[in-house]
Amino acid sequence: MAGVDNLRAEIRTSVLRLVAEVCLRDHVASQRLGLGGTDSRFLTLLDVYGPLTPGRLAQLTGLTTGSVTGVIDRLERAGFVSRERDDADRRKVRVIPDPQATARLTAARHDPIDVLDDVLHRRGADELAVIARFLGEIVESQGPDGQQARAGNARAASSEQVVP
């Protein structure tokens, strides 16, 4: 049993180190582009999910709709996103990432993604299935429907600035 406990501790430590490293690298990449942390996270969400409504961005981040509007305004002024009316329901607005801005953010994050791709390419299908299930469970438990609080996000978002 001690072996399993040691493996759990090793995995926990590795995940925490990975999260810290990703946060630090994202901070550096964001600064290079003149983005605040919340601005960068919005662009990441748009990259992962595609165009989103401000309401969905609020759900995903736990921010108030007022804070979401402020972040979108900053990103729009800086040329990272645009607002577009939904074709099906003209009352709805979708936030659309600018493809060139997405490419700049991807390029700024290039090294960590290359490392991830290299490590994943060295794994077989069975290992990849375990990794995918493990990470999927973590992501699902942290999502907007999970039990994690998001109270501090609204305060952080309201003070960050984009430098155009």
Side-chain angles (χ1 to χ4, degrees):
M1 199 61 166
V4 171
D5 289 341
N6 288 340
L7 283 172
R8 285 185 182 119
E10 182 180 337
I11 291 168
R12 184 179 190 282
T13 299
S14 293
V15 168
L16 291 174
R17 288 179 59 199
L18 175 63
V19 168
E21 185 64 29
V22 166
C23 288
L24 292 171
R25 287 179 182 254
D26 186 63
H27 177 72
V28 170
S30 297
Q31 282 189 322
R32 262 189 252 145
L33 296 175
L35 296 170
T38 302
D39 304 326
S40 175
R41 284 186 284 283
F42 269 50
L43 291 174
T44 299
L45 289 171
L46 293 169
D47 188 37
V48 169
Y49 293 104
L52 296 169
T53 64
R56 184 66 178 139
L57 282 165
Q59 288 176 333
L60 290 170
T61 61
L63 297 174
T64 66
T65 54
S67 292
V68 167
T69 298
V71 175
I72 295 168
D73 287 347
R74 285 196 307 266
L75 290 171
E76 190 172 41
R77 278 193 305 271
F80 285 93
V81 301
S82 61
R83 287 176 170 103
E84 186 178 279
R85 293 264 175 223
D86 189 295
D87 291 335
D89 183 350
R90 300 287 295 158
R91 295 170 296 174
K92 287 186 182 178
V93 173
R94 295 182 315 144
V95 180
I96 311 292
D98 179 88
Q100 292 173 333
T102 300
R104 288 178 18 221
L105 187 57
T106 300
R109 293 177 172 159
H110 187 67
D111 291 340
I113 297 300
D114 282 351
V115 169
L116 175 64
D117 287 343
D118 289 346
V119 170
L120 291 175
H121 279 93
R122 294 194 303 259
R123 301 294 183 262
D126 291 344
E127 284 182 292
L128 290 172
V130 170
I131 293 166
R133 191 171 59 247
F134 170 75
L135 293 173
E137 287 177 25
I138 292 171
V139 168
E140 287 301 314
S141 71
Q142 300 296 311
D145 300 324
Q147 299 300 314
Q148 300 300 314
R150 309 236 190 279
N153 290 349
R155 289 187 300 276
S158 63
S159 64
E160 293 178 15
Q161 298 296 317
V162 170
V163 179

